[in-house]
Amino acid sequence: MSKPRIAIDMDEVIADVVPKFLDIYQRLFGVRLQPRDYWGKKVYQIDGADQIRSFLHEKGFFLDLPVMPGSQETIRRLMEDYDVFITTAAMEFRASFEDKYDWLAQHFPFIHWKNIVFCGDKSIIQADYMIDDHAFNLRAFNGKGLLYTAPHNVHETGFTRVDNWQDISAFFEREKR
């Protein structure tokens, strides 16, 4: 009998991209942004900062991102009862493939390569649950969507919100009952 499936996004869910954007912004503009400066949007959506998005195309951008606290332990536990897949929309950023694969191998070596899905449109993902920071991915998803809190989605109200990996762990503990 197969286990229920969980599709887990990478950027801003298990890999923390915000500190890197803040470092780039500071390097370019000489100012360290505070959360209130980018609340409700991506750092590169701040007026005049759209050039920051181009860094996503650079080889190595995704290679040294910090791991979201608690994600490794929680995913390892979830794998006991669920089939876990990392589902990352990497098609837009060609240079990200190898970086993301290597990052996952370093920080999540217990996730088999067959459980890593590089895609463009996540509506093709067939799973029971999806954890993502983008509401548009969850809107196109047929299972239960969990919105992982990120600065850009703080005003979104259409999904079950999880603020951290402790919330995710608690959610799935309730689901098992």
Side-chain angles (χ1 to χ4, degrees):
M1 187 166 140
S2 65
K3 298 177 186 178
R5 288 182 175 177
I6 304 173
I8 302 174
D9 182 35
M10 191 169 168
D11 304 321
E12 296 190 66
V13 176
I14 63 172
D16 194 356
V17 72
V18 173
K20 190 143 192 183
F21 281 138
L22 295 176
D23 290 346
I24 292 168
Y25 188 94
Q26 184 172 0
R27 192 170 68 237
L28 293 175
F29 301 105
V31 176
R32 186 68 175 186
L33 293 173
Q34 299 303 309
R36 68 181 174 278
D37 299 323
Y38 55 90
W39 208 241
K41 55 188 149 196
K42 299 270 191 174
V43 171
Y44 55 75
Q45 292 173 323
I46 294 171
D47 288 339
D50 54 331
Q51 71 211 52
I52 291 174
R53 196 169 197 292
S54 67
F55 285 84
L56 293 167
H57 294 278
E58 290 185 5
K59 181 90 176 95
F61 180 88
F62 294 92
L63 196 54
D64 61 352
L65 299 176
V67 176
M68 289 291 200
S71 60
Q72 292 157 312
E73 302 83 359
T74 302
I75 290 173
R76 193 182 295 272
R77 278 194 313 273
L78 288 173
M79 290 172 70
E80 296 170 10
D81 299 310
Y82 298 89
D83 285 330
V84 173
F85 292 83
I86 303 302
T87 55
T88 183
M91 299 308 296
E92 185 177 358
F93 308 107
R94 184 174 185 260
S96 75
F97 288 101
E98 189 175 356
D99 289 349
K100 288 184 173 200
Y101 185 87
D102 290 346
W103 187 92
L104 286 165
Q106 178 183 355
H107 299 290
F108 293 84
F110 50 89
I111 296 178
H112 195 277
W113 63 266
K114 289 182 179 180
N115 289 58
I116 300 171
V117 180
F118 292 106
C119 59
D121 181 352
K122 290 188 184 178
S123 69
I124 67 158
I125 301 299
Q126 297 297 310
D128 299 286
Y129 303 92
M130 180 182 282
I131 305 167
D132 205 297
D133 63 301
H134 284 289
F136 64 84
N137 287 325
L138 299 176
R139 281 188 199 100
F141 179 62
N142 288 324
K144 172 73 174 172
L146 301 178
L147 184 67
Y148 194 94
T149 299
H152 65 86
N153 69 29
V154 295
H155 302 299
E156 181 64 50
T157 59
F159 300 95
T160 299
R161 183 174 290 278
V162 288
D163 292 329
N164 51 49
W165 280 90
Q166 292 74 25
D167 286 356
I168 292 169
S169 182
F171 173 87
F172 284 104
E173 281 300 316
R174 288 189 302 274
E175 288 292 293
K176 285 195 319 189
R177 293 183 202 145

